[in-house]
Amino acid sequence: MTEHGHSQQEIEARINAPPGRGVLRDVVYGGIDGSVTTFAIVAGVAGAGLSSFVIVALGLANVLADGFSMAAGNYSGTKAELDNIRRIRAIEERHIRLYPDGERDEVREILLQKGLAGQVLEDATDAITANRENWINLMIEGEYGLGSVDPHPVKAAMATFLAFLVAGMIPLLPFLLSVPNAFVTSAWMTMGVFFAIGALKSRWSLSPWWRSGCETFVIGGVAALIAYLVGSLFHP
C-alpha cells in the first residue's frame, strides 16, 4: 500500500484533486467475470465432449457479447448513480434557497456529530454556509452519505470491458493455438488468472497477497467445476 506525503504542497495537491473511487472495482469485476464465464463455457462444452471449434466459437461469442453487455450494464448503473447525485444536488440547492435556516441547522448537526462544539461549531457553520458550493457538498456527504467526487460512467464501462476481454481470452488461448491437452492447459491458465487477480487486488487491501489470491482462486474454481459437471451430464 503506497503511503502519501504530508508536506503542505502534497496535502494541497491531494485534497484539491481527490481521485474518487477509481476503476479498481470495475477492473476486478470485469476480470473475474471474464475468466469465470469464458472458462465456464470451455468447461461445459468440454464436459459435453464437443469439438475445439465449438469451444472457440462459443468462447469468442461470450467474450465479445457478454463483455459488451457487462460494460453497458456498468455504464448504465454508474450513470444512474451519477444522475441520482445530480438529483440530490438539485434538491439541496432548492432547499437552501427556500429553507436556509433549516438547512443551516442540518449543517450544524453534521458538524456536531463530527465532534465540534461551542463557538468553534458556530464559526464552522458560518464559514461553510457562506459558500454555496461547500454547503451543498457537505450536505451530500453528511446527509446522504455520498462522495463529493462524481463517478465516470464511460471510464467505468471501458475498464470493465477491457478487463473482461483480456481475462476472458486466456481460457481460449490453448484452443486457438491448438495446444495438446488444451482443456487441461486452459484450466491451469484460468486458475492462474484467478489467483493473479486476487493477488493484485491485495495491493489495495490489508489482506496478504496469497490470501486474496486463494480467495479468488476458490471462487473461480467452484464456478468452473459447476460448469464442467453440468456439461458432463450431456456427454454422449
Side-chain angles (χ1 to χ4, degrees), residues 96-171:
I96 288 173
R97 185 176 68 254
L98 298 177
Y99 317 107
D101 292 338
E103 291 295 311
R104 180 185 172 86
D105 289 340
E106 290 181 0
V107 170
R108 183 184 291 106
E109 180 62 25
I110 291 171
L111 296 177
L112 180 65
Q113 293 185 12
K114 291 182 180 293
L116 278 64
Q119 190 58 45
V120 173
L121 173 61
E122 297 304 322
D123 292 343
T125 301
D126 291 340
I128 290 174
T129 55
N131 183 293
R132 182 64 61 90
E133 193 66 22
N134 290 340
W135 191 347
I136 294 172
N137 287 338
L138 180 68
M139 298 305 300
I140 289 176
E141 177 187 350
E143 186 175 0
Y144 298 94
L146 299 173
S148 59
V149 180
D150 292 338
H152 301 280
V154 174
K155 185 184 295 185
M158 290 301 298
T160 299
F161 181 74
L162 291 176
F164 190 102
L165 186 65
V166 171
M169 284 299 298
I170 290 177

Side-chain angles (χ1 to χ4, degrees), residues 11 28 34 41 48 60 70 94-95 116 151 159 166 175-176 200 204 223:
I11 292 173
V28 172
I41 289 176
L60 287 176
M70 280 193 61
R94 186 173 71 254
H95 285 185
L116 278 64
V166 171
F175 298 95
L176 289 170
L200 180 63
W204 291 272

Side-chain angles (χ1 to χ4, degrees), residues 27-41 59 62-63 66-67 70 160-161 163-171 190 193-194 197:
V27 170
V28 172
Y29 178 48
I32 291 178
D33 198 74
S35 299
V36 169
T37 57
T38 305
F39 186 72
I41 289 176
N62 172 77
V63 168
D66 198 20
M70 280 193 61
T160 299
F161 181 74
F164 190 102
L165 186 65
V166 171
M169 284 299 298
I170 290 177
T190 304
V193 171
F194 291 151
I197 291 174

